[in-house]
Structures are given as structure tokens and as C-alpha cells.
Amino acid sequence: MGYKTIRKEASDEFEEKKSTFIGHVKRVSSEEEAREFINKIKTLHREARHNVYAYVIGENQGIQRYSDDGEPQGTGGIPILEVIKKSGITDTVIVVTRYFGGILLGAGGLTRAYIKGASIAVKAGGIVDKVHASELKVDIQYDLLGKIQYEAEEKGWFIKDIDYSDMVSLTFIAEENYIEELRNSSSI
């Protein structure tokens, strides 16, 4: 059994009433990693008025944090957190940077802008299923290599490494529930 998370670190931006909003997203595995990413974005966008963030960590979404970073309470951090939760993802941090353009957006406008900033970041990063996988190493005869590579591709078993010596040593990575099937494969 797995869960959904962000595929890759990414960002996207848009303009709303002369303010520029930049959504940044990254997959993280700890609060420390999330804070490092937040600080990296704050350093990168030192001149920005606000770097609003939220993150969710853990398969059961057990760790949830957010900050409005000076915006009116509830207009930034909570909406970003809700985007993460409604996307069904975890192990994810989102920072939405705002360069103020001189026109006030109001509470509703800010909320919509931060939701959009978080949403475009998630879209840019993509969503992927994270599954529990194991590694299995097997030794085979050279004449079986092509057949096993074909079967691995058909069944979604990732071949991490191939070593050639008197035998061919294959290192597979597969979902844990498929490891036994892989061990019992007729080709191996």
C-alpha cells in the first residue's frame, strides 16, 4: 500500500492585480527538510513581501504546519494547506511567494491567489504514487537475459543494475507485494 506525493520540485507563477505570485513545491520526508526548503525560497526571494507556506508529512498526514508570513490571518497558509490535503498528497511542502504590486486584493482575493499559487505549483510538480518497494538480486545465465528484461518491462519491475561476469547479476526494484511473484517467475 502506498500514498500520493509530489513527483518533482517545481514552480510556476502568475500575476494578479500587479502582484506576482510564485508557487514552489517540493517532496520532503521530514520537517527539517521542509524548513530547509522554506528558508531556501525565502533567501532566493529576499525582496518579496511574503513567502507563505504549508507542508504535510507522513503517510497518514500526521504532521501539518503552515504560516501566513505577515498576510492577514487565514488568507494564505490555511488555503495552501487545504490544496495539499484536497490533492490527497503528503510529504509535500509548498511556498507561495508574493511580490506586492501596490494594489490591495482583500481577504477573499488573497485567499484565491494563494490557492491558485499552490494549485499551479502542484500541477507543475505532478503527483505520483509512492509505494513500498524492495530490492531483489538474482543471478541468471546469459541466454535468459532478453526474456527476463522483456518480462520485467511487461510487469513493471524496475531493473536497477546489471552486472556481467560468468553469470548475469540483475538487481530488481519492485513493489513489496510483487517480490514473491518475481522470485517465482518462470524465467528466473
Side-chain angles (χ1 to χ4, degrees), residues 4-6 24-28 34 37-38 52-58 61-67 76-96 114-115 117-123 127:
K4 293 186 184 310
T5 189
I6 206 73
H24 311 271
V25 66
K26 182 179 181 185
R27 181 189 324 172
V28 292
F37 181 72
I38 293 162
V52 176
Y53 69 83
Y55 58 87
V56 175
I57 300 170
Q61 297 186 333
I63 299 171
Q64 300 181 11
R65 306 277 187 268
Y66 66 89
S67 169
I78 291 175
I80 294 171
L81 182 63
E82 287 302 310
V83 168
I84 295 171
K85 289 164 53 177
K86 286 181 181 173
S87 297
I89 56 179
T90 190
D91 290 353
T92 301
V93 58
I94 296 176
V95 181
V96 179
Y114 282 109
I115 288 170
S119 297
I120 64 172
V122 169
K123 185 176 179 183
I127 295 176

Side-chain angles (χ1 to χ4, degrees), residues 25-184:
V25 66
K26 182 179 181 185
R27 181 189 324 172
V28 292
S29 57
S30 67
E31 280 195 270
E32 181 182 335
E33 200 177 338
R35 285 190 294 270
E36 285 173 7
F37 181 72
I38 293 162
N39 290 334
K40 174 183 144 184
I41 298 302
K42 284 182 174 184
T43 300
L44 184 65
H45 295 286
R46 247 178 265 154
E47 303 299 318
R49 177 76 64 94
H50 305 281
N51 286 288
V52 176
Y53 69 83
Y55 58 87
V56 175
I57 300 170
E59 281 187 62
N60 62 353
Q61 297 186 333
I63 299 171
Q64 300 181 11
R65 306 277 187 268
Y66 66 89
S67 169
D68 293 315
D69 192 37
E71 291 285 24
Q73 186 175 355
T75 60
I78 291 175
I80 294 171
L81 182 63
E82 287 302 310
V83 168
I84 295 171
K85 289 164 53 177
K86 286 181 181 173
S87 297
I89 56 179
T90 190
D91 290 353
T92 301
V93 58
I94 296 176
V95 181
V96 179
T97 301
R98 178 185 183 199
Y99 285 93
F100 185 61
I103 298 174
L104 296 176
L105 301 178
L110 280 174
T111 299
R112 286 187 295 278
Y114 282 109
I115 288 170
K116 183 175 180 178
S119 297
I120 64 172
V122 169
K123 185 176 179 183
I127 295 176
V128 66
D129 288 320
K130 187 170 181 180
V131 297
H132 297 284
S134 292
E135 207 172 271
L136 176 66
K137 189 171 184 175
V138 295
D139 295 324
I140 60 166
Q141 297 294 327
Y142 276 84
D143 61 341
L144 292 175
L145 182 59
K147 183 177 180 184
I148 290 177
Q149 286 175 316
Y150 175 79
E151 188 172 347
E153 187 174 323
E154 289 291 306
K155 296 194 176 185
W157 302 331
F158 176 71
I159 300 175
K160 177 183 174 187
D161 192 31
I162 303 176
D163 258 341
Y164 301 96
S165 60
D166 58 329
M167 302 275 289
V168 179
S169 293
L170 296 164
T171 305
F172 291 95
I173 296 178
E175 286 184 55
E176 287 178 355
N177 52 333
Y178 292 120
I179 288 293
E180 198 57 41
E181 180 184 347
L182 181 56
R183 277 193 183 110
N184 297 327

